[in-house]
Amino acid sequence: MGTRRDFLKGTVAAAVVPGIAFSKVMEKMERNTGHPTVISTWNFGMEANREAMPLLKRGKSALDAVEAGARVPEADPKIRSVGYGGRPDEDGHVTLDACIMDSHGNAGSVAFLQDIKHSVSVARKVMEQTDHVMLVGDGAKRFALSQGFKEEDLLTEESRKEWLKKKENLSRKSDLGPNENHDTISILAQDKDGNIAGACSTSGLAYKLHGRVGDSPIIGAALYCDNDIGAAGATGLGEAVIKTVGSFLVVELMRQGRSPQEACEEAVRRILRKHGGKVDFQVAYIALRIDGEIGSAAIKNGFQYALNRGESSSLIDVNKLTD
Ligand code: SD4
């Protein structure tokens, strides 16, 4: 009779091996080369993609493209959820989260960064100029300044006025609403060589507790890239994405043979299941596989993603996931 130890060994092998091994689908997958693709979250993704695509067409890397794309909403004060002009925390400070990942599996990230507009570029510097993955708060700012980034006030007059008004009757729970208060840019690209990279940038939840960090700077949560499989990015309520390691989950499901669409749907379902099937917040995923196929799923209606294939560019509405 086998011992309990033998039984456990068998269980672990059975449970782990299929997850580690490439699925048959992935073994046969042909990498999309020569047809650059960029996909990003929300309608401001259209502008981000417009910036990223010419770089891809000129033969630049997916990494250069996603950084350039994410910098567009970061610099735009009209976009109230990313970079300059982003809504502040409950104390009136704009605090930024961002990350980036290249096709070699390198990653860089900054969290709770203040007074520096282009957090995605600081994240890239962390990846390329340090042995670390993540810098936060004052340390991240000091590092950014040492790298030549400019210190600037990111709180626009519009955001300040709105915050002062809101401050009078802040109820934290009710401010975690779906679309008004939090729209992160997650952007994934595939270059001419077929390599994949991704980036993510946000000012996070409006009127959050000072010090709150969301999913956007957390590798595996709001962003994950594996150049053998594909990439995934998230937007929405960060706490729910962190607790399900959402983007990593999407990539691992693709590794196991699910399509990008199926993988995004399963990651959304995972959140729904954890909340007993009913939630009042938004989370959405986008995914890009190495063969160029894409997918997206969202908890609620209202999410859109922007897709640019070079010859065509579109903004696509994602219907809420229904069983
Ligand atoms: C956060 N995920 O800080 C970000 C916010 C967001 O769409 O994505 N909004 O939780």
Side-chain angles (χ1 to χ4, degrees), residues 42 81 97 178-179 181-185 200 202-205 208 212-217 222 234-239 241 282:
W42 302 108
S81 47
D97 294 341
N179 296 324
N181 288 338
H182 55 94
D183 291 349
T184 291
I185 179 142
C200 183
T202 193
S203 52
L205 289 186
K208 60 197 173 186
R212 182 264 188 188
V213 168
D215 58 323
S216 303
T235 179
L237 185 65
E239 281 73 6
V241 177
Q282 176 70 299

Side-chain angles (χ1 to χ4, degrees), residues 39-46 179 184 235 282 284 286 296 298 300-307 314-319:
I39 176 172
S40 55
T41 51
W42 302 108
N43 56 1
F44 50 65
M46 293 293 282
N179 296 324
T184 291
T235 179
Q282 176 70 299
I286 53 172
S296 180
K300 293 181 154 216
N301 288 331
F303 175 63
Q304 298 178 304
Y305 68 87
L307 175 65
S314 46
L315 184 64
I316 293 144
D317 286 306
V318 177
N319 291 330

